[in-house]
Amino acid sequence: MISSQAALHAAYGGVVPEVAARHHLENICPVIEKAMADAGTTFPELDAVAVTQGPGLVGALLVGVQVAKSIAFVHGKPLVPVHHIAGHLEAPSLGADVPFPALALVVSGGHTSLFEMAARGQYHLLGRTRDDAAGEAFDKVAKLLGLGYPGGPVIDRLSEGANDRAHEFTIARIKDGRPDFSFSGVKTAVLYHVRREGIAPVADPAAAPAEIRDLVASFQRAVVTALLRKLKEAAQARRPRSLILTGGVAANRRLRRDAATLAEELGLPLFVPPIALSTDNAAMIAAAGQVAFEQGRRGGWDLDADPHLPLG
Ligand code: KG4
Ligand code: ZN
């Protein structure tokens, strides 16, 4: 059950924290009631209540934490705090038996990180973005070109069939040997290109001219290439038994295709959750919550949202 606010924030070209918190407050109880009714279950039947403790926008997190605490308190259920990224990392295990150790690339609007998982519930951070997240770069480039919010899906669509070799956007390699990412450079390169060529934002993304479609396809190729290069290098160094691709940007068709090719080349199985479980959802939080519950993790009644909660 997903109550998306994307259309609401589209008018502003990005998420407005205050608006997000207010709409969480309005929607959280109806969403829970509908999910429980659809599942044909009741609160007393639950084993535990899992909730995203962080990271994220504090206003939105607070709504979830308070509601989860209330349900757990009233029904005498254990409360299990979950890290948002743990949710993305556990999403593939909802539908498959992932062999571990796994190498997991998490690409979303707020995160671009590479994790090694020795087992479910065990997250070792290998590398992360030093500036923008991959999804953030998609969103900023889309905004620049008048393509709307969120930008990833539009760029994905416009790139299909376009010339991704029209421009060479290179992504700086981080030289200190860490598998870190950097995406602010490529976004700036697109910005300079747009200024130099005097490209105007489009009024209707569906009618974007070839010039823009080729531009976003070239940008997308650069981002996908940089992501998979790190995944490949890490796979060769760490020798995992499987690869995981997860997070909102994992919905990207080019990334999915190229990741599948890479996995085949490496002779490793690749696990990518279906799109509904790649972008933010509560099922992945339940999956991470189940593992954390079995590990004995519990939140007290003083559990607080943490917008900068670390993982791994
Ligand atoms: O995981 P997610 O739903 O939320 C966060 O935790 O951030 O990821 C949202 C991000 C946005 O930046 C959005 O533009 C991007 O995922 N995204 C995509 C696609 N679908 C969503 N990026 C590229 N291609 C897509 N098809
Ligand atoms: Zn997310």
Side-chain angles (χ1 to χ4, degrees):
M1 178 63 49
I2 293 179
S3 166
S4 173
Q5 298 189 4
L8 199 75
H9 296 289
Y12 306 96
V15 175
V16 183
E18 260 307 308
V19 173
R22 205 162 307 171
H23 281 266
H24 269 68
L25 204 49
E26 280 173 13
N27 290 310
I28 195 162
C29 290
V31 162
I32 291 171
E33 278 161 17
K34 177 122 180 31
M36 298 289 286
D38 285 1
T41 191
T42 58
F43 288 122
E45 285 180 306
L46 301 179
D47 293 314
V49 180
V51 64
T52 307
Q53 186 186 7
L57 296 171
V58 72
L61 293 169
L62 275 172
V63 173
V65 168
Q66 295 309 327
V67 170
K69 273 200 248 183
S70 305
I71 295 171
F73 183 77
V74 167
H75 297 281
K77 301 294 177 182
L79 180 67
V80 183
V82 169
H83 191 285
H84 179 75
I85 298 303
H88 280 301
L89 290 166
E90 299 295 340
S93 293
L94 278 168
D97 235 332
V98 178
F100 292 98
L103 205 59
L105 180 62
V106 187
V107 269
S108 73
H111 298 264
T112 302
S113 308
L114 199 55
F115 285 92
E116 190 170 43
M117 293 175 69
R120 286 193 67 183
Q122 292 184 33
Y123 320 110
H124 172 61
L125 180 67
L126 296 175
R128 65 201 306 181
T129 182
R130 300 221 176 152
D131 38 59
D132 291 351
E136 199 178 348
F138 271 97
D139 293 337
K140 286 178 177 170
V141 164
K143 191 170 183 178
L144 181 73
L145 297 169
L147 301 177
Y149 173 86
V154 188
I155 290 182
D156 184 347
R157 226 168 21 247
L158 293 179
S159 298
E160 290 287 292
N163 177 15
D164 65 2
R165 301 264 163 195
H167 308 279
E168 270 311 315
F169 293 118
T170 49
I171 294 197
R173 299 196 67 146
I174 285 162
K175 299 253 163 60
D176 61 10
R178 295 203 43 180
D180 279 353
F181 303 94
S182 167
F183 292 106
S184 80
V186 65
K187 168 201 69 191
T188 310
V190 173
L191 172 67
Y192 286 162
H193 175 86
V194 165
R195 282 198 189 145
R196 203 167 48 236
E197 303 291 322
I199 299 171
V202 300
D204 174 15
E211 180 185 44
I212 293 216
R213 298 180 53 231
D214 292 350
L215 180 62
V216 296
S218 301
F219 158 78
Q220 178 176 275
R221 173 171 65 89
V223 172
V224 168
T225 305
L227 288 170
L228 295 182
R229 189 170 62 205
K230 292 281 185 230
L231 184 63
K232 181 178 181 175
E233 287 170 0
Q236 286 167 337
R238 318 289 304 189
R239 307 220 159 264
R241 290 185 58 217
S242 63
L243 301 177
I244 289 173
L245 176 64
T246 184
V249 183
N252 186 271
R253 284 172 287 180
R254 172 75 191 261
L255 181 58
R256 285 174 171 247
R257 276 200 302 270
D258 290 3
T261 306
L262 172 66
E264 212 177 287
E265 185 191 317
L266 294 169
L268 291 172
L270 170 70
F271 295 88
V272 194
I275 292 185
L277 295 175
S278 290
T279 51
D280 285 352
N281 66 87
M284 71 183 194
I285 302 303
Q290 185 194 351
V291 179
F293 176 72
E294 284 161 6
Q295 288 174 337
R297 263 182 80 95
R298 300 289 182 271
W301 303 129
D302 59 349
L303 181 75
D304 207 356
D306 182 349
H308 305 291
L309 190 69
L311 176 72

